[in-house]
Amino acid sequence: MSTGRDSETTFEEDSQPNDEVVPYSDDETEDELEDQGPAVEPEQNRVNRETEEKRETFKKDCTWQVKANDRSFHEQPQFMNTKFFCIKESKYSSNAIKTYKYNAFTFLPMNLFEQFKRAANFYFLVLLILQAIPQITTLAWYTTLVPLLMVLGITAIKDLVDDVARHKMDKEINNRTCEVIKDGRFKTAKWKEVQVGDVIRLKKNDFIPADILLLSSSEPNSLCYVETAELDGETNLKFRMALESTHEHLQREHSLAAFDGFIECEEPNNRLDKFTGTLFWRNMSFPLDADKILLRGCVIRNTDFCHGLVIFAGADTKIMRNSGKTRFKRTKIDYLMNYMVYTIFVVLILLSAGLAIGHAYWEAQVGNYSWYLYDGEDATPSYRGFLNFWGYIIVLNTMVPISLYVSVEVIRLGQSYFINWDLQMYYPEKDTPAKARTTTLNEQLGQIHYIFSDKTGTLTQNIMTFKKCCINGQIYGDPRDVSLHSHSKIEQVDFSWNTYADGKLAFYDHYLIEQIQTGKESEVRQFFFLLAICHTVMVERIDGQLNYQAASPDEGALVSAARNFGFAFLARTQNTITISEMGTKRTYHVLAILDFNSDRKRMSIIVRTPEGNIRLYCKGADTVIYERLHPMNPTKQETQDALDIFANETLRTLCLCYKEIEEKEFAEWNKKFVAASVAPTNRDEALDKVYEEIEKDLILLGATAIEDKLQDGVPETISKLAKADIKIWVLTGDKKETAENIGFACELLTEETTICYGEDISSLLHTRMENQRNRGGVYAKLIPPVHEPFFTPGENRALIITGSWLNEILLEKKTKRSKILKLKFPRTEEERRMRSQSKRRLEIKKEQQQKNFVDLACECSAVICCRVTPKQKAMVVDLVKRYKKAVTLAIGDGANDVNMIKTAHIGVGISGQEGMQAVMSSDYSFAQFRYLQRLLLVHGRWSYIRMCKFLRYFFYKNFAFTLVHFWYSFFNGYSAQTAYEDWFITLYNVLYSSLPVLLMGLLDQDVSDKLSLRFPGLYVVGQRDLLFNYKRFFVSLLHGVLTSMVLFFIPLGAYLQTVGQDGEAPSDYQSFAVTIASALIITVNFQIGLDTSYWTFVNAFSIFGSIALYFGIMFDFHSAGIHVLFPSAFQFTGTASNALRQPYIWLTIILTVAVCLLPVVAIRFLSMTIWPSESDKIQKHRKRLKAEEQWKRRPSMFRRGASSRRSAYAFSHQRGYADLISSGRSIRRKRSPLDAIIADGTAEYRRTVES
Amino acid sequence: MTWSATARGAHQPDNTAFTQQRLPAWQPLLSASITLPLFFCVGLAFIGLGLGLYYSSNGIKELGYDYTGYPGTSNCSLCATAGRGRSPPPACSCAWYFTLPELFQGPVYLYYELSNFYQNNRRYGVSRDDAQLSGLSSALRHPVNECAPYQYSAARLPIAPCGAIANSLFNDSFSLWHQRGPGGSYVEVPLDRTGIAWWTDYHVKFRNPPLVNGSLALAFRGTAPPPNWHRPVYELSPDPNNTGFINQDFVVWMRTAALPTFRKLYARIRQGNYSAGLPRGAYRVNITYNYPVLGFGGQKSVIFSSISWMGGKNPFLGIAYLVVGSLCILTGFVMLIVYIRYQDQNEEDEDEE
């Protein structure tokens, strides 16, 4: 049965008019749609209700009311929400933000409550309670309380430190100042005092304290430029514009103080780009949208001052609504560890139950008849057994390591600090160190299988540099001197002749300079003139230096290049552009700007030269330009060849052309243009059409080639990571061609790679689906999934797929219409059943398809997804996470990567580039992509090895310690007698055995960082979970069990008959306990010594220190003095001194330790000799490798230009500022006094339309 | 890989050995040159130690007699059957006769051994009040709850010493008689009953409550002896330094044993003619049979033993050392063979690489 039929039938059935207003943005997929509508609801009801809703929509949505300059308005009772019984709180938050969790009074109870929510802590609390029951208490109360208090204490201190930091941050932010109208005047106020309805004034470079409605600004038309880097990561300026009437009337302080507007708008939400509301003022109403709102977190730029009305404050602001909700990530080891703790818990219960049964039996056989054991209670053996069950739960509780979780946290924290401290991940140019923002994921860094990388800003620097050009068919840009000879080594072109040069451009073709200076070829000058005039860049003068502000980095690069070559764009007014042409200033009259958009892929400008000629200059993608060229263009073919060459060198290309326009022709066209620009409907389309009319018969000037500079060391890093068996997927919003270019540039793709595209794999997947369906049929689930590769193995394949193909393949197609119709209430039971069945079938199919896709993609050595939305990025990550069960890492720098960063197991943000959003939501951040290799191959690997060693040892140590009780119980009537002194049990985990293993977890390294980087193959142990898995866990447990047996039975043999050398019988319980405890401490501390492969003095100190500490404390606790003070608490008086005086006991201890450790040494030696691991081998030859490194320094890799690929052309560009012009509003030339910050201001720029 | 320290950024991490994880360290490897000698040396050392232990253990003489008195086994069976049950039997004596053909090299120690007696049972082990035993008056009057049901007597008087351990004090007594010649009279061998407890126990852990008017009996007034005891604690011995809580038999008993079969020192024989040991001749041990063990299937013995540097007779350690030592040597050889065999192979592997 085909599943497609279902949706079709539904579609036909419901051709009646239906709800079309469901918001359906590009990012939404079926799943979301389904959540939106009520699934079961009679249709008639719904329709009725909706009509009502529509009527009330406006009122209902706009329930947020703000009155300007009227604080008492917002304190009215109807705005109060009842919080508890009688405590009322205003629904308007104050502007003070609160990110901290505790204050002085709530810290203790809340923190304790939170800690006891963790299972382990709760378990120990239960134990504590059990211990308080006299019938079953087998251990003194302090044995659990002291370790628990220490664990709670350490965690509480950590929380406290975190919270104090938050308090400080909050305080710093809340105490920032701005100007607020109070009593009719602007007064400086702290941010926390700002309230909804206040009118505030902000100056240039101020942070915006709250979400405010822009009322007016110092700029004409109340334009206000903001930088939104903190919100969306985009550094280019955005402009906001106030309402006309507020702009007119609210410039003065007194008028602002008298402002009494009333605003109704939507409730606070987290949509950054949406705002709807209405301003009621002077008996008029004005609609408000997001263009008039300045959001908290943005910075005012290029605007002297502006005035605004606070609408949302503090927690209601959009940035605050967006923060929070970070997904809590846990590592694979965390999950494993939890399962292991559960396993141990089950073992604990089984052991206790067995021993309890043993006790019941023993009581029936022996205990009941032993008069000396009479305890006055006539309990039956089975009841005693039951009590002993709990008694053993208490005695054996140390099998579940109490300090495990806190030690793990401490180790991870330490690892995080090592990451923060690493100088080799510190980027001096931006003064950015690496930062582990999440401290709980470190060992996961050693297990990464898949890396999902963003392109722009991550692999590339997002810096465009003008590299080459083709003018009139001649290619310039390769290093050569004036005499046309190309040299391998040639110095940079000297731009000092040009006063406007910024000195940042590195260019090596001296011939081009000569061409410009001599002016032999007019096209060369024309070419750079075009670059200087045809753009939407704005210019600013800072300290006499020109500073360009471009909408896209490409454009900036081109204009800067023109400037360096002698055609400096100096200033623009609304209708003129001033350019310095080889030193002479000329002003051009701008007649029209035909702005860029993604359909047109070109922009043009029409200017009138001082001589009076009208010219059109145009630049754009080669495909669109070539269509519009005049047929008689001599250099067409040469330029085309040049474009191919540029593309092969992974450069981004643009074509430049111009044409002369007759006065008459222009006048005619201008009429149409003006008409189109005021068209009431479809203005954009109309304009595009008009543009099309004039952009034809163009004359080709040449082409530019811009390098999208890769970050340093990207290809090397990628090849290193590939050697470590890590697969790298590039996910980018860029176009296919750009992405492919970068793929080649960073050597992810090579000449040998066979590239598959979406259409190729779609058919592959389709046949696979068919096969699976035919084979499986009804019994699909019974047949074990066979893994058959999609491709012939051994071939190097890469997959390049676009977002739309992804949707197509993964059945995420927009089936909007049929989906909505499906919301309809099913009429009969049968129908409902059918529907759910088909839905299920669809889901199964989808799942199968997704699984197939992931399988296929994972067979490719590289995957590049282009044109994907942020949501798709996250979806791809999620697919791999789900179907490959592999550990994923996502790395990105922009707001569009946030989703993916949050989805992946580990998110890495590139810091110091654009905004902060990616970094804020990431787990690790650093400045350069190349640091990723050090993060994974060094820090990740070390952390993984350390954590695994730590866990293995920890479980071993606790089993060795605890199970001695178990063996002892066979000799004491299963009576839950402990084999150690209570104080020893108390301190074992916290003092005697914790420090060495903690230090190992912090400092251990099997091979040095250099060797780790040199042999990426070492990394695979983490990916394959080789060092810590269930097998390793059980081996550790077995080791612990065997150790505990040795620890018990050798002293047992020695104690069977023994007497001391002075005839006194040391076979007493207390000496026995001391003997075992001493042997245990020495054994476990020496064992950690064996496990430590990197012995620093701290390790040595801690190991011997722990043993010394044990003996020191023991002798203290067994001393006469402490017995006199606390006779009941310290019962082992004199035991240590009496027992350890006996050579016999020392001989026993030595034998025990030797029997515990020697087999370990032997087994390790044998396995190292017979099956040496990669790391063993490298360690063995450490010295030789180090020596090699001395004389075999890596030669610098230089592999460029060897490719002979054919690629299409890339064009990265965004819509420029020209839409300021097309917004079409009358402009009065009324400028507030303003030092020429923007040379002649952008405001005049707007005039162009009217002219 | 170089970072110049010319212009230090504000956020630049410190370049120290610790922060850069470059602490000087020793990276030991379990190489053959360490492991093999280790095993051979340890093996040899252990064998040496084992031989020493074994021979010194063998050199120790031990002479014991099980006087539990299972029916028909000895002349103590009469007392044993009489004393069946929980209530203490009337004083009954029996004797053990033995002859030494040669000198029993001294110093000789007299032990009693109980088996199947669970002094290490948890309930039993906690049933004591260390505060009371260290002479605190308040604890004397108010024994801890752990002592129950031997906390207060039927007359609601606090029991001193309280608890099950004290209540089950071993109360058989032994005397040793020596017949020098055949048919001669038996002479009592002096048994040194003091100094059998640890110094710390006798001086620190166990203290009598402060004397009242110079009398220990008054100090214990208002307390009751444990129900099984025939006399109050202050009458355990006529010697004022060996009575009350510091009675050495009591102190020795209160140091509970680790295992259900245990020996406790009863006396030393080191006085008079017997300081060098027990001379040859016939001996008789008079046993006052008070302590019931048949009820729980226990056994009791009386044992004479001499002592060496390593304590009493115990072959276990010696044998264990010998076994472990030999295994070390054996393992050493196995490792040597494996090492030689795989050394070549590994090198070949590397050559291939």
Side-chain angles (χ1 to χ4, degrees), chain A residues 606-625:
Chain A
I606 301 173
V607 293
R608 190 190 294 273
T609 59
E611 293 79 32
N613 301 328
I614 298 176
R615 269 204 186 140
L616 176 140
Y617 293 98
C618 175
K619 68 177 187 207
D622 54 323
T623 45
V624 291
I625 297 291

Side-chain angles (χ1 to χ4, degrees), chain A residues 363 371-372 421 423 431 946 968 971 975 1054 1059 1063-1064 1067-1070 1094-1095 1131 1138 1144 1147 1181, chain B residues 10-11 13 20-21 23 26 86 111 118 120 122-123 198 200 205 255-256 258 292 310 312 314 321 350:
Chain A
E363 279 287 338
W371 57 268
Y372 60 93
W421 284 333
L423 265 176
D431 189 25
R946 287 166 184 174
Y968 190 33
F971 297 87
S975 61
V1059 293
E1064 289 158 7
S1067 63
D1068 66 297
Y1069 165 68
Q1070 296 188 339
Y1094 193 75
W1095 275 72
Q1131 301 174 340
N1138 280 300
Y1144 196 77
L1147 287 175
H1181 305 294
Chain B
H11 300 107
Q20 302 309 314
Q21 308 200 54
L23 281 180
W26 175 53
R86 280 192 178 183
Y111 299 92
Y118 286 85
N120 58 10
R122 187 181 56 82
R123 263 186 294 130
W198 284 1
T200 45
K205 209 174 171 188
R255 179 153 287 280
T256 54
M310 47 150 285
N314 191 345
Y321 264 103
E350 271 149 34

Side-chain angles (χ1 to χ4, degrees), chain A residues 135 137-138 359 362-363 366 368-376 384 388 418 420-424 426 431 433 939 942 946 968 971-973 975-977 1002-1003 1005-1007 1049-1050 1052-1072 1090 1092-1098 1120 1123-1124 1127-1128 1131 1133-1135 1137-1139 1143-1144 1147-1148 1150-1151 1154-1155 1158 1161-1162 1164-1166 1168-1170 1172 1177 1179-1182 1184 1194, chain B residues 1 3 8-15 18-32 35-36 38-39 42 46 49 53 62 85-86 109 111 116-125 129-131 134 136 148-150 164 167-168 195-201 204-205 228 255-265 268 291-293 295-296 307-317 320-321 324 328 331 334-335 338-339 342-343 346 350 353:
Chain A
Q135 275 82 17
T137 178
T138 43
H359 185 68
W362 181 86
E363 279 287 338
V366 182
N368 260 359
Y369 304 101
S370 302
W371 57 268
Y372 60 93
L373 291 178
Y374 176 70
D375 63 355
R384 284 189 194 281
N388 249 30
F418 280 128
N420 297 349
W421 284 333
D422 196 338
L423 265 176
Q424 295 179 50
Y426 166 77
D431 189 25
H939 288 282
W942 277 349
R946 287 166 184 174
Y968 190 33
F971 297 87
N972 62 29
S975 61
Q977 176 68 296
L1002 285 173
L1003 303 176
Q1005 33 185 287
D1006 56 344
V1007 303
F1049 284 103
I1050 286 182
L1052 173 78
Y1055 269 75
L1056 272 177
Q1057 289 182 301
T1058 194
V1059 293
Q1061 80 197 121
D1062 45 7
E1064 289 158 7
S1067 63
D1068 66 297
Y1069 165 68
Q1070 296 188 339
S1071 306
F1072 188 61
L1090 276 180
T1092 306
S1093 42
Y1094 193 75
W1095 275 72
T1096 63
F1097 65 95
V1098 251
H1123 178 85
V1124 172
S1128 323
Q1131 301 174 340
T1133 310
T1135 313
S1137 53
N1138 280 300
Y1144 196 77
L1147 287 175
T1148 312
I1150 290 170
L1151 182 69
V1155 173
L1158 286 177
V1161 175
R1164 294 223 172 139
F1165 175 78
L1166 290 177
M1168 237 178 76
T1169 317
I1170 303 176
K1177 281 185 202 161
Q1179 285 183 61
K1180 214 188 247 169
H1181 305 294
R1182 205 187 307 131
R1184 206 187 70 205
R1194 253 178 301 158
Chain B
M1 284 285 166
W3 49 85
R8 221 186 108 94
H11 300 107
Q12 183 169 347
D14 293 333
N15 185 8
F18 174 66
T19 54
Q20 302 309 314
Q21 308 200 54
R22 283 187 277 109
L23 281 180
W26 175 53
Q27 289 180 267
L29 273 184
L30 286 178
S31 63
T35 320
L36 295 177
L38 176 81
F39 269 79
V42 168
F46 275 23
L49 258 175
L53 282 168
E62 221 178 65
R86 280 192 178 183
Y109 297 79
Y111 299 92
N116 206 21
F117 190 99
Y118 286 85
Q119 257 203 325
N120 58 10
N121 188 288
R122 187 181 56 82
R123 263 186 294 130
Y124 179 82
D129 185 349
D130 281 301
S134 53
L136 293 183
Y150 308 106
N167 183 49
S168 60
I196 56 175
W198 284 1
W199 188 91
T200 45
D201 281 357
V204 179
K205 209 174 171 188
N228 279 7
R255 179 153 287 280
T256 54
L259 299 168
T261 298
F262 58 88
R263 287 179 188 185
K264 283 184 188 289
L265 185 57
R268 293 167 209 254
Y291 206 69
V293 294
F296 53 86
I307 283 283
S308 75
W309 63 275
M310 47 150 285
K313 190 181 185 72
N314 191 345
F316 173 82
L317 260 197
Y321 264 103
V324 173
C328 273
T331 322
V334 171
M335 289 195 300
V338 168
Y339 175 69
Y342 281 91
Q343 177 75 359
N346 285 347
E350 271 149 34
E353 281 168 17

Side-chain angles (χ1 to χ4, degrees), chain A residues 798-1033:
Chain A
L799 176 63
I800 296 181
I801 189 166
T802 56
S804 40
W805 270 108
L806 260 181
N807 272 351
E808 177 81 26
I809 288 166
L810 300 180
L811 304 178
E812 296 276 4
K813 270 180 292 183
K814 309 275 165 69
T815 47
K816 169 185 171 187
R817 202 177 165 79
S818 60
K819 268 291 158 186
I820 292 163
L821 299 177
K822 268 192 190 174
L823 298 178
K824 213 187 59 173
F825 190 70
R827 285 183 193 92
T828 62
E829 192 61 29
E830 175 75 1
E831 204 174 317
R832 191 182 306 176
R833 204 173 49 79
M834 288 276 287
R835 193 160 292 177
S836 69
Q837 216 171 45
S838 63
K839 199 172 148 192
R840 212 172 48 231
R841 219 175 306 119
L842 197 75
E843 261 162 34
I844 291 172
K845 187 184 167 200
K846 198 166 143 183
E847 205 182 295
Q848 185 66 46
Q849 182 84 349
Q850 289 180 342
K851 194 171 169 0
N852 286 343
F853 169 71
V854 173
D855 283 342
L856 184 146
C858 290
E859 275 177 39
C860 300
S861 58
V863 179
I864 297 176
C865 303
C866 35
R867 278 274 173 246
V868 285
T869 61
K871 192 172 169 110
Q872 279 180 318
K873 285 186 177 185
M875 186 188 74
V876 170
V877 175
D878 189 57
L879 281 179
V880 174
K881 231 169 106 174
R882 193 147 23 114
Y883 294 112
K884 276 282 149 183
K885 302 265 177 294
V887 186
T888 54
L889 179 145
I891 178 167
D893 71 319
N896 56 347
D897 305 316
V898 169
N899 227 335
M900 149 175 112
I901 283 174
K902 282 189 176 168
T903 308
H905 288 105
I906 288 180
V908 178
I910 299 285
S911 53
Q913 299 246 341
E914 287 188 349
M916 290 294 283
Q917 271 221 321
V919 173
M920 292 305 268
S921 52
S922 68
D923 304 307
Y924 297 90
S925 67
F926 44 71
Q928 291 277 298
F929 180 80
R930 66 167 188 271
Y931 296 152
L932 192 60
Q933 58 174 328
R934 190 168 171 85
L935 184 72
L936 300 187
L937 299 183
V938 178
H939 288 282
R941 205 179 71 86
W942 277 349
S943 295
Y944 175 72
I945 290 175
R946 287 166 184 174
M947 187 56 72
C948 293
K949 269 190 175 179
F950 168 82
L951 287 175
R952 277 179 355 223
Y953 175 78
F954 219 79
F955 287 121
Y956 152 79
K957 149 184 112 111
N958 276 288
F959 260 64
F961 165 63
T962 309
L963 282 185
V964 173
H965 298 308
F966 174 73
W967 306 117
Y968 190 33
S969 62
F970 290 99
F971 297 87
N972 62 29
Y974 314 96
S975 61
Q977 176 68 296
T978 55
Y980 313 104
E981 185 191 1
D982 284 352
W983 284 110
F984 178 76
I985 295 175
T986 313
L987 298 180
Y988 175 76
N989 261 325
V990 293
L991 274 188
Y992 301 150
S993 63
S994 54
L995 198 59
V997 68
L998 263 183
L999 284 173
M1000 184 196 70
L1002 285 173
L1003 303 176
D1004 206 45
Q1005 33 185 287
D1006 56 344
V1007 303
S1008 69
D1009 50 349
K1010 287 201 185 91
L1011 291 177
S1012 300
L1013 285 172
R1014 203 172 136 189
F1015 297 97
L1018 289 171
Y1019 189 80
V1020 295
V1021 286
Q1023 289 173 338
R1024 298 192 193 144
D1025 288 324
L1026 291 182
L1027 295 184
F1028 193 66
N1029 46 39
Y1030 254 91
K1031 194 180 142 215
R1032 288 288 199 144
F1033 168 70

